[in-house]
Amino acid sequence: MTSKRSQPELKPKPLDALVVLAVVLLAVGAAWLSYGGKGEGALTATVKHRGQVVAQVELSSLTEEKAVSIDGAYHLTITLDKTGAAVTDSDCPGQDCVHTGRITRAGQSIVCLPEQVIVTLEGKTPSADVILG
Amino acid sequence: MCAALAALMLVSLTACGKTEEPERQELFAMDTYMSLAAYGDGAQEALAAAAREINRLEQELSRTVATSDIYKLNDSGSAVVSEETAALLKNAMTYSAATGGLFDVTVAPLVSLWGITTDSPRVPERSEIDALLPLVGSGHIHMDGNSVTLDDGCAVDLGGIAKGYASDRVAEVLRQYAVTGAAVSLGGNVYVCGQKSDGSAWSVAVQDPKNTGAYAMTLELTDVFAVTSGGYQRYFTGPDGTVYQHILDPRTGYPAQTDLLSVTVIGQNGTLADAYSTALYVMGEQAACDFWRQSGGDFDLVLITADGRVLYTPGLADHISQKGADYDFQEVSA
């Protein structure tokens, strides 16, 4: 003699949907905190002049181009926008900082040697630890 | 229950994303910007000691510091230099001989003539260059122990080798401290050792010479020195619009005419990597590949050609983590 065991009835209830939603929201939040919040997509530009931080800007917060001026023995204009940074004008000899062009990735930097200006892009996940070239 | 699990996942995922930040040190020295990062209990002390060592070397090897061995040698034509300076000059002469003179520290009078790294670079007359070319060649350096003499009118500039030597010395300093991993860039002369805090190797990107926002390739490396030479950042534009890059060809006295955009040398000796990256850039693709084959694989190479190829030696094949989409990648045959 055999008996047939009945399967429990699985009917989603409104509370289950809320729990699923909570799980999804928490997972997305965790992923954002881990990888997105300050990842390469969320770049912070830091401008240092002779060892002092003169500007620190989260690029995603910019709604238009922002110019940072350096006035020392030489004069530089650093232009920041939502996605990168560049030294757009300088009266320094050599012009290496201008020649570097626009940087857009975490870990990249622009250096003006004569005026000792460093522009760096930082993010939680740098695109590289060291850059050759 | 599910909510509790989700909260746990949030905490654990967030924890996974965190890596320990290294100790960092920045300095301007040797006419360049240097950045150093290190992990380990002795990292802070190690980086401070490394910075002191770099500053010491600048005082000894700079061409423009009036008290340096090199300044005194150039100024008076002869000098008794430190054992360290003498050894470095001997190395420079060895690399000059190995590269057929394409790396040569006696190119100094031509560097001054062009003024490329000064406030007022200029295009000299052919006659001015011709007048100085006979002064170029390591045969003009005469050494007797630590006593060095230069032929009349000659001068030396260790700019093409001093940062590489400094990276060797920094590596030595770091080994004396409790450092578990370090990444050092002395104006593009790179040394990486050990591991990052998560146990991984260091990601070393080779700049795309055509696009500053991109990398030509990324390598996962540790316990090596790496140096890139190229003419795409340091240059000046002449009155007629011609671009003159800063690496001179010691044979002609003019900026190197090459089919390469950049050369990266990776190996176990920072001084050699510095000297060879310059020489191989001047050589051009074919001669650089031949030079590597004849070297017996003492070092690895990445050549970026003007026609859009990235050539890499077989020793790097397993270390490449990313390839730039704009380039055709080819392994150099042994």
Side-chain angles (χ1 to χ4, degrees):
Chain A
M1 190 176 159
T2 58
S3 65
K4 192 176 176 184
R5 189 174 291 173
S6 62
Q7 295 292 320
E9 203 173 331
L10 292 173
K11 275 192 182 171
K13 296 173 183 167
L15 187 61
D16 292 337
L18 275 177
V19 170
V20 168
L21 185 65
V23 169
V24 169
L25 285 176
L26 283 168
V28 169
W32 186 83
L33 279 172
S34 292
Y35 308 112
K38 278 225 170 230
E40 251 207 283
L43 296 169
T44 299
T46 303
V47 181
K48 283 187 190 173
H49 180 208
R50 301 195 180 276
Q52 302 296 314
V53 175
V54 294
Q56 195 155 43
V57 178
E58 189 157 331
L59 297 185
S60 62
S61 70
L62 294 175
T63 52
E64 57 185 14
E65 282 189 353
K66 177 182 172 69
V68 177
S69 296
I70 301 290
D71 292 312
Y74 302 104
H75 305 86
L76 286 79
T77 303
I78 298 146
T79 303
L80 311 174
D81 62 30
K82 253 183 163 3
T83 57
V87 176
T88 45
D89 188 52
S90 172
D91 57 4
C92 68
Q95 298 276 301
D96 294 349
C97 51
V98 178
H99 295 159
T100 300
R102 191 162 174 273
I103 55 172
T104 56
R105 306 182 71 171
Q108 290 188 310
S109 59
I110 305 171
V111 177
C112 175
L113 285 175
E115 195 49 48
Q116 297 200 358
V117 172
I118 311 165
V119 184
T120 52
L121 293 184
E122 292 157 2
K124 187 174 180 184
T125 313
S127 53
D129 298 309
V130 204
I131 300 165
L132 286 161
Chain B
M1 177 66 176
C2 282
L5 279 173
L8 191 63
M9 185 169 66
L10 172 72
V11 170
S12 62
L13 263 176
T14 307
C16 281
K18 280 185 178 173
T19 50
E20 184 193 332
E21 279 297 305
E23 293 289 338
R24 295 186 186 278
Q25 175 98 36
E26 294 176 335
L27 68 154
F28 284 90
M30 295 183 158
D31 194 28
T32 195
Y33 165 68
M34 303 181 170
S35 63
L36 303 88
Y39 290 106
D41 293 340
Q44 198 172 15
E45 273 184 295
L47 295 183
R52 285 195 298 274
E53 179 67 359
I54 291 164
N55 287 325
R56 181 188 72 77
L57 289 171
E58 180 171 34
Q59 295 304 308
E60 185 171 307
L61 303 174
S62 168
R63 194 183 161 191
T64 55
V65 173
T67 52
S68 80
D69 279 353
I70 299 302
Y71 184 96
K72 286 187 261 185
L73 175 62
N74 287 337
D75 190 48
S76 61
S78 66
V80 176
V81 300
S82 72
E83 206 162 301
E84 186 175 40
T85 303
L88 191 54
L89 277 170
K90 276 182 187 159
N91 274 341
M93 292 163 78
T94 302
Y95 298 141
S96 174
T99 60
L102 293 188
F103 169 80
D104 207 300
V105 293
T106 59
V107 79
L110 285 167
V111 172
S112 299
L113 180 66
W114 282 87
I116 284 178
T117 55
T118 69
D119 286 11
S120 47
R122 70 181 184 94
V123 185
E125 295 296 326
R126 174 82 248 180
S127 58
E128 294 177 281
I129 292 171
D130 287 344
L132 294 184
L133 270 178
L135 305 178
V136 177
S138 287
H140 294 298
I141 307 172
H142 308 285
M143 298 187 68
D144 180 9
N146 295 355
S147 178
V148 188
T149 306
L150 303 176
D151 286 339
D152 283 349
C154 296
V156 294
D157 186 337
L158 298 183
I161 199 173
K163 290 191 287 292
Y165 176 68
S167 69
D168 283 326
R169 288 296 310 140
V170 165
E172 188 57 40
V173 167
L174 294 177
R175 278 192 278 272
Q176 294 165 16
Y177 292 84
V179 168
T180 56
V184 170
S185 176
L186 311 184
N189 284 249
V190 164
Y191 169 66
V192 287
C193 67
Q195 303 167 328
K196 291 191 282 185
S197 61
D198 61 1
S200 62
W202 297 91
S203 292
V204 180
V206 181
Q207 180 68 55
D208 182 344
K210 293 179 180 171
N211 178 2
T212 51
Y215 304 136
M217 72 191 305
T218 306
L219 298 151
E220 303 303 310
L221 299 173
T222 190
D223 299 325
V224 290
F225 297 86
V227 183
T228 297
S229 286
Y232 55 93
Q233 275 185 6
R234 279 195 160 182
Y235 60 84
F236 74 96
T237 307
D240 62 350
T242 305
V243 172
Y244 297 90
Q245 48 101 344
H246 76 291
I247 299 177
L248 297 179
D249 185 336
R251 296 168 299 190
T252 65
Y254 280 89
Q257 297 290 315
T258 176
D259 54 0
L260 297 171
L261 297 181
S262 78
V263 171
T264 301
V265 176
I266 299 168
Q268 296 300 315
N269 184 318
T271 314
L272 177 146
D274 200 4
Y276 281 6
S277 64
T278 307
L280 271 58
Y281 175 75
V282 178
M283 277 181 202
E285 176 189 341
Q286 200 54 54
C289 289
D290 290 343
F291 184 86
W292 171 78
R293 289 186 189 100
Q294 287 158 16
S295 75
D298 279 352
F299 54 89
D300 279 296
L301 278 185
V302 177
L303 308 179
I304 302 181
T305 67
D307 62 2
R309 288 171 296 131
V310 174
L311 310 178
Y312 60 92
T313 50
L316 297 176
D318 292 339
H319 296 275
I320 300 172
S321 56
Q322 271 191 322
K323 292 181 176 179
D326 295 337
Y327 290 94
D328 176 24
F329 281 73
Q330 299 172 7
E331 190 170 299
V332 179
S333 60

